Structures are given as C-alpha cells and as structure tokens.
Amino acid sequence: MATLKDIAQALDLSVMAVSKALRDASDISAATKARVQEEARRINYVPNQSARNLRSHQSRLFGVVVPNVNNTYYSNLVWGIERQAEVMGYQILLAHSLDQGDCEIAEVRRLLARQVEGVLLVPAVRWQNRFMTLELLRQSGIPVVMLDRYPAGAEQFQQASWVVCRDQYGAELATRHLLELGHREILHLCGPNGSSASAARFGGYRKTMGDSEAGFRDNLVFLAGSDIESGRKAISQAISEKVSFTAVTAFNDLVAVGAADVLQHQGFRIPTDVSLVGFGDGLLAANFRVPLTTIRIPQIELGTAAVRLLEELIRGAAVDPRELPVELVVRYSTARVSPPA
Amino acid sequence: MATLKDIAQALDLSVMAVSKALRDASDISAATKARVQEEARRINYVPNQSARNLRSHQSRLFGVVVPNVNNTYYSNLVWGIERQAEVMGYQILLAHSLDQGDCEIAEVRRLLARQVEGVLLVPAVRWQNRFMTLELLRQSGIPVVMLDRYPAGAEQFQQASWVVCRDQYGAELATRHLLELGHREILHLCGPNGSSASAARFGGYRKTMGDSEAGFRDNLVFLAGSDIESGRKAISQAISEKVSFTAVTAFNDLVAVGAADVLQHQGFRIPTDVSLVGFGDGLLAANFRVPLTTIRIPQIELGTAAVRLLEELIRGAAVDPRELPVELVVRYSTARVSPPA
DNA sequence: ATTTTTTTTAGAAACGATTTAGAACTTTTA
DNA sequence: TAAAAGTTCTAAATCGTTTCTAAAAAAAAT
C-alpha cells in the first residue's frame, strides 16, 4: 500500500509537503500541489485513516447502535443517518443491541475503541441500569443522540440529546380519529415497557379517551410490544377476556398487523366490525391486506435530524432535543362504527 | 482517555508488559495479568484501535456496500453480515452505492482508506466499467465477496467470490408451479438489466416455458426492475398491449406487489383471474393484501455465508462461489387457472 | 557456588500520518 | 541596501499501540 513517503521520494519532497499538498494547505505552491496530486492518483494512493486518526484525534466516524436493522423502521433510521453522515464527511460503524442493555453497552464500548466522534443510539428497551450507557459515553467525552426513545431523566447528560417524533400527539390524532368515527370502545395495544415512545403513545391515548365522553378505562389497555407476534398475543388476550370493542389503536404498524391477522382469523371484518390504527407508516402499512390507517413518522428525517444534532454536540453546542411532526394517514382499516347488531 | 501508559505508570510496569498482559500473552505471569486487568477495568481503559491497527495491520473491520439499507432485502443481508462478523470479532462499516457504479467505487475507496480487511458488496447494477471496483480491490489486495449478484467473468478475480441463491432454479419452481395449475399464458416481469439475478431468473422462466407445451414467447416478457413502481409500470404496459395472460412471475416481491396493485385496480381478481408469484419472501410477501405465493430466499443466511467466504479469502484460501437453496412458498396469490369465460 | 535453563519484564523502533516550529528563499517596504 | 514580511518547504516530535530484541530475575541443574 502506497504511503505519503512513496510520493515524497518520487517527487523529491518532504513527507510534510506532500501531506499538506494533499490537504490543500495554504502554504504549498499550486505547482507542487498539482505534481503531488497527480503522483497520488498515479500510484493510487489511499491515505491511512488509522494513522491520520491516531495523530489528529479525528476519526470522522460515527457509531450507530440499533436493536436490529432487520426491522424496516430501524433500517430507515440507519438510512437517514448514513445519508446525512456522508454529506458531512463521516462514515458509520453499525452495531446491533438486540434491544438488550448488556449488548448495547458492549457494542458502545467497541465503538469507543474505534474512536468514534459520536454515537447515534436507539436505546435498548431493557436496561439493568438505565443510564449505564450514557454514563460510559459521558466519561469518554463522546456525545450521543438517541433516536425514537430516551430514558426519562436523560436531561442530566449534557453531551446527550435525542430526536423523537410527536408520539403523544400522534396517539391523540389516532384516538380522536376513531372517536370522530363514532367509536367509544377503543382498545390500546401498548408498546414495550421501558420505551418512552410506548409511554407517550399510551399517554396520548389515555388523555384523549379521558377527555372524551367515552372516558378512559384501563381494562381496554393491553401490553403488546413492537413486533407482529406481540400484536397477535395482545389481541388474543383481549378477545379471550371478552372485552367489548369496536376499534383498536396499536403501538406500531407491526402490532396492528399482528392484531389484524388474529381478528380476521376470528371472523372480525376490518374495518366493518373493527377499526384499526397503526403507527409508523412503513412499507407494510400501505400494502397490508387491508391498507392501514396509521400515523406517519418521518423516519428518514429522524435519522438525518439526529446526525445534525450530533454534529452540534460535537461542536460543543448545547442542543435541545427535537420532536418531529407526525400526521394521520387515513386508509382502509378505519370506518364509521357500525350500529350494534 | 486512558492509555496503556497510564496503566503502566500506575502499576510500575513497562508499557509492553501491560500490552501483553491485556492480550493474555503467554510470557506474562498470572499475577501481573490479574493486576493489569483489574487496573484496566478500574480506569475504564479502552484500547485505541487506530493505534493497534496502525501497528499491527489488523483493522478487524469489514466494509459493506449495499444499494440501500432501506430495502428489506438488503437490510436482511446486512443483518446476516453483521451477526456473523460480530461472531468472528469484526465490526462493519456500512456504505451505500444507490446502485450506481460511481458511488460504489467512491465508497469502496473510502472503505480502503479505513484499512478494511475485506469488503462485502452488492454490486451496483449500472456500471460504466463492470470490473472497475473489483480491479481496485485487487490492486489493494483486499478480498471481496459479492452478494445477490455478480458480473459475468468475475472468476478471473482470484481475491473475489460471491454468494447468490439458486435464482434460475427458483424461477423454474415458480413457473412450473403455475404450469401445474394449468396456466399457459404466463408473463415474466424482469429485474433490472445488468443483474445476474435478473438474468438467471429470466433464464429459469424461459427454460421452463420452453420445455413445456406452452412454449416460450418473448411477447410475454416485460422489463420491470426491483421496486414496486417498476412492477406497476411493467404490468400496465402488458395490459395496454392487450397481451392475454392468466399468470405472472415477477422478479421479486416488490415487483409482484406493484403488479398486483395495478391488476386489482383494473378489476382483475387475484388469484381468480390472475395468479401471481413473487420472489424473495420478505415480510411484505406474507402480509400483502393477498398473501403472495413466492420463492423463499434465505436472506440472512446469504449474509452469514458471505462473511464466512470472506474469512476464507482473507486466510488466503481459494474459495468457490456459493449458491444457497430456495423453496417455493405457496400462499394465496396462485390458483388453478379458471376456464375462459 | 556456578552455570544453564526458564520465566518474566524492559527498551527501542516502528506503523503512517499530523502538529508545531522554524529554515530557506523571495518579495516588499522603509 | 538593509530590514521586514511573505512564501514555500522541511525537521523533529508525536499519537497509542505492537514487534522485535534483549535484559533481568527466578528456578533448576551441575
């Protein structure tokens, strides 16, 4: 592999001059720069980032930790992150937490070993110690931006911030939409415990129900999770408990899909018998068996916004967390409540 | 950030001894190792990978280039890759080619600058020069494993290999399935030009049709691509050309979904009027409006197998490309052909 | 007690770039 | 014409680790 030294020798220059020429420094003549650049191209010179990094303490590397890229929601975040990072001249190291705290911290440690300049993190929902990762990052002086969710009390970490969507408002929109269609018995299938997004969406549901004539009743709330299977289980439980309902709000599209699956198998028609609202608006929502009414999250923007925040943190600025807007997308899984048979 | 030196000073040892102790070298006493490891933990020591890499020429880094992680198919590959890489002690740098040759080569160059020990690549379908990337990698002495597709003639690159699925066989399965259901007029919606996968799947379709009594007719073949929109366009063209057909084989699930969308809008019922087979079996296939009969690709295994091949290449072994098995998954988008009205 | 062998630790150099400081040369200014 | 200023390049030190070589200490053998 060619090095600066090779170029320097070929052109009878100092290594320094070559280094500076390639970085377009001001104190190198245009003629020399041209010669150097040509030679560099000729021998296919690729700078050694490890050496550069070691000396300059600039890795131009971001670490990204998501539960799994398998999930479209997270892969959209990663996509947004990578696109924006590339624009700003950074590359990304991708790691998976599997939503487990111990994996998360192990991965962050590995990222730190690579001298990443910042970390983008979808915090694992299950922590043994909620702040361990943030604490480690603080100790290392590495800023972090969380996406999608964040632990309550994260404000105390100066080098941390987060980008989420307006979860509570989104859930309010969803619930209000159902109320306006005449539904009164509306289930809520909660997301995983320990996720601020779950809490916020549940909060939006509870508030809207409480403010309505329907009122909030906690026997209409079921713990699901964030995947299809959890949606199946939750709705099955609701059915087996013989709860009466005409509509369902789900933590996300996958939970909605799982619920829809079971409902249809049990003979409920959607939306004739049961209306259903998802959250997220991934590819699946629009193309599901019955296209889902859902709350649209600007997933890619979540990623790009997070990188922008991270850059500000790196520059030492104090940044406020951001909340991105959401909107209701009405498709075919919701309809006016049908009069009781 | 704590360094080896800090530990050495605290324990009154040489930097070397500490370095070796942490790597569990054979010529350091157990007592010293214990002391060192304890101190390392105490001060939260994280080794500097850049320095390590610079000196030892081992980055323990793989570069991964996919068109976009947005696409579930590719994100599944990335997931498989990362999982296996982690097992083998490697981290991954993720980059996007957008399926464009110039992006691809630029990204590979950036990966090389990071001293990656190997590259995993889904080659862009559009090359200005098909072998440019492989050539660059050969020059740099970095092995590469391609996934999903590869340029014809790639055998000449000793440090390159690839992992694909049995594309041709899969298309044969799909076509035969339709023939067995009594279909004779079967469309094929091709994948992008320049992809070996497209060619192989088309080949499987052509062979099976040619061998059957139905025979192969090229007016039943339409160029689509790899996304939903391209599926829409291709089927629209088929309809506008007034081609008579009772079944469709699509390059992948997304193309199938796009086609189904248009078909249903135009009043065709699936599978009553038109049978449809996808390829891939992503999340969407099982949960689409009408659950798709499709060819299952072991996407995650594709990723893990690729990493294993890459490791062999790194060890200097000559490896043969791999073909992973596929299987037909019958759902609800295919049915016996209905007698002409 | 001396030599040999084995175990354990230390020193110096190196990896490939950048930072800092300053030298050599040219041009401008007084 | 000498001093000041600007331009262009160079030398040496350095980043944090590992490799290579060798020295010191401990244990075993004579």
Side-chain angles (χ1 to χ4, degrees), chain A residues 3-4 16 19 45 52 55:
Chain A
T3 72
L4 281 188
M16 253 340 293
S19 169
Y45 169 75
R52 171 177 290 178
R55 185 61 246 248

Side-chain angles (χ1 to χ4, degrees), chain A residues 13-34 36:
Chain A
L13 282 170
S14 72
V15 169
M16 253 340 293
V18 176
S19 169
K20 290 170 127 179
L22 286 173
R23 280 175 297 148
D24 203 25
S26 62
D27 63 349
I28 297 291
S29 69
T32 308
K33 279 182 189 167
V36 168

Side-chain angles (χ1 to χ4, degrees), chain A residues 189-202:
Chain A
L189 307 185
C190 287
N193 274 330
S195 153
S196 59
S198 302
R201 292 178 201 175
F202 170 59

Side-chain angles (χ1 to χ4, degrees), chain B residues 61-66 81 90 93 95 104 107-113 115-123 133-134 136-137 140-147 159-162 306-307 309-311 313-314:
Chain B
L61 225 42
F62 288 149
V64 176
V65 185
V66 295
I81 289 169
Y90 284 82
L93 275 166
E104 175 180 300
E107 292 296 350
V108 167
R109 219 178 275 278
R110 301 178 71 200
L111 293 175
L112 288 176
Q115 320 297 115
V116 294
E117 292 180 29
V119 169
L120 295 142
L121 172 70
V122 176
T133 303
L134 291 179
L136 172 63
L137 285 163
S140 317
I142 300 298
V144 52
V145 173
M146 289 170 280
L147 298 95
Q159 93 299 357
S161 190
W162 59 89
V307 173
L309 277 198
L310 187 55
E311 203 212 14
L313 283 173
I314 289 177

Side-chain angles (χ1 to χ4, degrees), chain B residues 170-183 185-187 246-250 253 256 260 263-264 269-279 285 288-295 328-338:
Chain B
E172 288 172 19
L173 280 181
T175 313
R176 207 172 304 138
H177 171 63
L178 291 170
L179 286 169
E180 281 165 4
L181 288 172
H183 295 276
E185 297 169 323
I186 305 175
L187 295 189
T246 64
V248 177
T249 55
D253 291 339
L263 285 170
Q264 291 187 326
R269 288 162 302 172
I270 299 175
T272 318
D273 301 323
V274 177
S275 283
L276 181 65
V277 186
F279 210 113
F288 183 58
R289 215 170 303 148
V290 14
L292 288 183
T293 293
T294 190
I295 303 297
L328 176 69
V329 179
V330 178
R331 294 209 181 85
Y332 301 99
S333 67
T334 50
R336 184 150 284 285
V337 68
S338 45

Side-chain angles (χ1 to χ4, degrees), chain A:
Chain A
M1 200 67 95
T3 72
L4 281 188
K5 208 170 160 186
D6 298 329
I7 301 182
Q9 283 173 353
L11 268 48
D12 196 33
L13 282 170
S14 72
V15 169
M16 253 340 293
V18 176
S19 169
K20 290 170 127 179
L22 286 173
R23 280 175 297 148
D24 203 25
S26 62
D27 63 349
I28 297 291
S29 69
T32 308
K33 279 182 189 167
R35 281 204 310 149
V36 168
Q37 275 157 16
E38 193 195 317
E39 176 68 6
R41 206 173 7 253
R42 198 183 66 73
I43 65 172
N44 227 323
Y45 169 75
V46 182
N48 184 322
Q49 285 287 351
S50 293
R52 171 177 290 178
N53 174 12
L54 178 59
R55 185 61 246 248
S56 67
H57 300 281
Q58 286 223 332
S59 63
R60 302 253 103 194
L61 225 43
F62 287 148
V64 176
V65 185
V66 295
N68 62 329
V69 266
N70 241 3
N71 185 313
T72 21
Y73 179 64
Y74 300 129
S75 68
N76 277 333
L77 297 184
V78 172
W79 168 254
I81 289 169
E82 201 278 339
R83 290 290 78 194
Q84 183 62 29
E86 159 126 44
V87 169
M88 308 194 328
Y90 283 82
Q91 284 179 271
I92 67 167
L93 276 165
L94 182 66
H96 291 130
S97 70
L98 309 175
D99 246 333
Q100 288 162 6
D102 50 345
C103 283
E104 174 180 299
I105 203 147
E107 292 295 350
V108 167
R109 220 179 276 278
R110 301 178 71 202
L111 293 175
L112 289 176
R114 299 275 182 195
Q115 320 295 117
V116 295
E117 293 181 30
V119 170
L120 294 141
L121 172 70
V122 176
V125 289
R126 296 204 63 100
W127 301 288
Q128 65 284 66
N129 172 347
R130 301 190 317 160
F131 294 138
M132 207 148 94
T133 303
L134 291 179
E135 194 59 67
L136 172 63
L137 285 163
R138 168 153 70 186
Q139 270 180 32
S140 317
I142 301 298
V144 53
V145 174
M146 289 171 279
L147 296 95
D148 181 67
R149 52 205 190 220
Y150 59 94
E155 300 80 10
Q156 66 185 283
F157 293 88
Q158 305 240 339
Q159 94 298 359
S161 190
W162 59 87
V163 182
V164 296
C165 67
R166 297 185 61 188
D167 285 304
Q168 169 158 354
Y169 176 70
E172 289 173 17
L173 280 182
T175 313
R176 206 172 305 139
H177 170 63
L178 291 170
L179 286 169
E180 281 165 3
L181 289 172
H183 296 277
R184 291 298 172 265
E185 297 169 322
I186 305 174
L187 296 189
H188 182 70
L189 307 185
C190 287
N193 274 330
S195 153
S196 59
S198 302
R201 292 178 201 175
F202 170 59
Y205 161 83
R206 177 163 57 186
K207 176 169 185 298
T208 309
M209 291 300 281
D211 291 350
S212 78
E213 62 174 52
F216 169 75
R217 298 187 356 236
D218 61 9
N219 63 330
L220 294 180
V221 177
F222 292 84
L223 179 65
S226 56
D227 57 9
I228 293 184
E229 196 46 40
S230 72
R232 284 211 183 88
K233 280 192 192 137
I235 199 73
S236 301
Q237 197 188 338
I239 293 171
S240 73
E241 286 186 10
K242 300 206 191 313
V243 182
S244 161
F245 63 92
T246 64
V248 178
T249 54
F251 170 67
N252 67 13
D253 291 339
L254 293 178
V255 169
V257 162
D261 206 40
V262 170
L263 284 170
Q264 292 188 325
H265 267 280
Q266 305 250 345
F268 294 88
R269 287 162 302 172
I270 299 176
T272 319
D273 300 324
V274 177
S275 283
L276 181 64
V277 185
F279 209 113
D281 197 25
L283 192 59
L284 191 50
N287 294 286
F288 184 58
R289 215 171 303 148
V290 15
L292 289 182
T293 293
T294 190
I295 303 296
R296 159 158 258 290
I297 302 179
Q299 305 178 6
I300 298 173
E301 287 78 1
L302 225 56
T304 54
V307 173
R308 272 194 274 261
L309 276 198
L310 186 55
E311 203 211 15
E312 289 183 46
L313 283 173
I314 289 178
R315 286 211 314 266
V319 312
D320 287 325
R322 284 197 59 190
E323 268 200 340
L324 300 191
V326 294
E327 56 178 333
L328 175 69
V329 179
V330 179
R331 294 209 183 85
Y332 301 99
S333 66
T334 49
R336 183 150 286 284
V337 69
S338 44

